[in-house]
Amino acid sequence: MDRTRVVIIGAGIIGAACARELAVAGFDVLVLDRAGAAAATTSHGEGNILVSDKGPGPELELAQLSRRLWPEVLAALTGRTSPDGVDPVEWDPKGGIVVATTAEGAEALLPFAAAQRAAGVRAETMDSDALASAEPFLTERRTAAVYYPDDAQVQPAGAATALLADALRAGARLRTGREVLGAVTRGGRLTAVRTADGQVESDVFVNAAGPWSGEVARRLGVPLDIRPRRGEVLVTTPLPPTVFHKVYDADYVGAVGSGAGDLQTSAVVESTRAGTVLLGSSRRRVGFDDRMRPEVLSSIAAKALKLFPSLAGAQVMRAYGGFRPYVPDHLPVIGADPRLPGLWHATGHEGAGIGLSVGTARLVRELLTGAAPAIDASPFRVDRPAVLGDTPTATDAPNTSTDTAPTTEEGS
């Protein structure tokens, strides 16, 4: 019996999760990436799996679905732990704490948490003693705190690699160094994509190219308003136990939800299993300009110190940055593209792609097979104004020598 062929464009965490979900379900899966697996946005993230930063609505529902699925998916991975006992995924359900440091912050945080609780999120208000016990090095200048026991963390590149490896064990194939250059259509349907190494045919194509999804869509002849939004993270040298949860200032939620293009920073502090401490976060729209800006790193450090003054003596050993796939209405794009049959999208998760990946993959599989989706997928549809309403500005355009005009050829 012939199996439905699926080509997934992008081998980051979203593409890897989709590849695994579809390969296990019996699809004939091929993953294409212009570079290497988990080599771009995924490897430049923090690995957050969060419900704490999402208000009631479709994204929170997707986050809750993903949070339920993550332990199940990880438990089902074949050969997840190496012979020496190392777990590359580094699953850590350590929980998150959101801290307000001003009266205004408390006035915003507590009603936000109450609305989340009404939507099924576990959000526990902490008194001063409980907070001091949970995070003894936290600033004493705090006005409110909420604990989210379901927040978790993974090592992002390790998680993506583990998902992709399981997909390959289930029969999927991976081809790296294959950049999509254009489309081949027959009867108005996408039947193949062009690469420098020739055409790749399939029944279904899933655009999971993250910040480059808008450019991939353009090359395939269907505009998609997904733009890069840059973020940076500082990494300290290994420290004695100092931060025990993911801890962030209450203004982080506002920064995530903002559509402003100028620099926004907020304090996000968490440790890793290696003992390093990650300091974030920043958001700014600068296209694909990957230059580090000292003023951005300085702002991140200053805000982190307001939460954890004891970090003043910590040494920063490196900084890194990456591009998030930004959509103006802050919702992912998941599903079939009605303008070009055969093309699907799984992208636009901005900074939440690690956490939302397995839920997104489940939705893609359910929609492809016609099964009843686990949650309402209609808010993520492609044909909504925020996705189709504008085209990227010159500032947001990719900086790549292979940027070509969209090419659509009729197959014979």
Side-chain angles (χ1 to χ4, degrees), residues 82-400:
S82 65
D84 57 2
V86 175
D87 175 12
V89 176
E90 296 185 11
W91 167 257
D92 188 357
K94 58 186 173 184
I97 298 176
V98 183
V99 180
T101 56
T102 64
E104 294 80 10
E107 290 173 0
L109 172 61
L110 297 179
F112 182 79
Q116 290 176 303
R117 281 193 289 271
V121 174
R122 292 198 294 166
E124 305 168 8
T125 302
M126 306 179 76
D127 61 25
S128 182
D129 290 341
L131 185 57
S133 176
E135 293 291 343
F137 298 100
L138 187 69
T139 178
E140 294 183 359
R141 298 179 60 183
R142 64 259 187 155
T143 54
V146 179
Y147 172 54
Y148 292 87
D150 293 321
D151 280 358
Q153 184 183 25
V154 292
Q155 205 294 326
T161 301
L163 292 170
L164 187 56
D166 216 44
L168 298 180
R169 292 188 191 95
R173 291 156 291 142
L174 171 66
R175 295 180 187 171
T176 57
R178 303 296 178 91
E179 183 170 4
V180 171
L181 302 176
V184 178
T185 63
R186 182 179 293 112
R189 182 179 184 86
L190 181 62
T191 59
V193 293
R194 294 189 303 105
T195 75
D197 296 304
Q199 297 182 6
V200 179
E201 297 184 349
S202 189
D203 304 306
V204 174
F205 298 82
V206 180
N207 177 10
W212 295 271
S213 296
E215 173 62 11
V216 168
R218 186 188 72 81
R219 293 182 182 188
L220 298 179
V222 285
L224 196 68
D225 189 13
I226 293 181
R227 315 179 188 192
R229 200 181 191 195
R230 185 163 174 80
E232 286 89 3
V233 175
L234 297 173
V235 186
T236 74
T237 56
L239 300 173
T242 304
V243 185
F244 302 92
H245 303 80
K246 178 183 180 68
V247 183
Y248 63 86
D249 196 300
D251 64 2
Y252 173 78
V253 174
V256 170
S258 171
D262 56 347
L263 173 64
Q264 297 182 67
T265 57
S266 53
V268 182
V269 184
E270 62 188 317
S271 62
T272 69
R273 287 189 178 178
T276 60
V277 175
L278 307 181
L279 311 178
S281 68
S282 66
R283 278 171 165 77
R284 53 195 177 103
R285 292 221 307 270
V286 292
F288 284 94
D289 182 350
D290 62 0
R291 289 173 293 180
M292 288 287 187
R293 300 290 187 183
E295 66 273 18
V296 176
L297 304 182
S298 177
S299 179
I300 290 172
K303 291 197 173 182
L305 287 175
K306 288 183 178 180
L307 274 187
F308 286 89
S310 64
L311 291 175
Q315 296 183 4
V316 173
M317 66 177 180
R318 69 184 181 100
Y320 63 90
F323 301 104
R324 307 176 180 96
Y326 168 80
V327 180
D329 66 359
H330 305 285
L331 287 178
V333 183
I334 305 170
D337 194 319
R339 302 165 298 173
L340 183 59
L343 177 63
W344 288 59
H345 301 284
T347 185
H349 302 77
E350 201 175 332
I354 304 298
L356 300 180
S357 58
V358 293
T360 295
R362 181 61 54 89
L363 281 185
V364 169
R365 191 256 290 169
E366 291 167 341
L367 294 171
L368 266 174
T369 59
I375 62 172
D376 181 10
S378 62
F380 310 115
R381 68 187 187 279
V382 179
D383 56 341
R384 62 186 202 259
V387 179
L388 304 183
D390 296 305
T391 55
T393 63
T395 302
D396 292 320
N399 179 14
T400 168

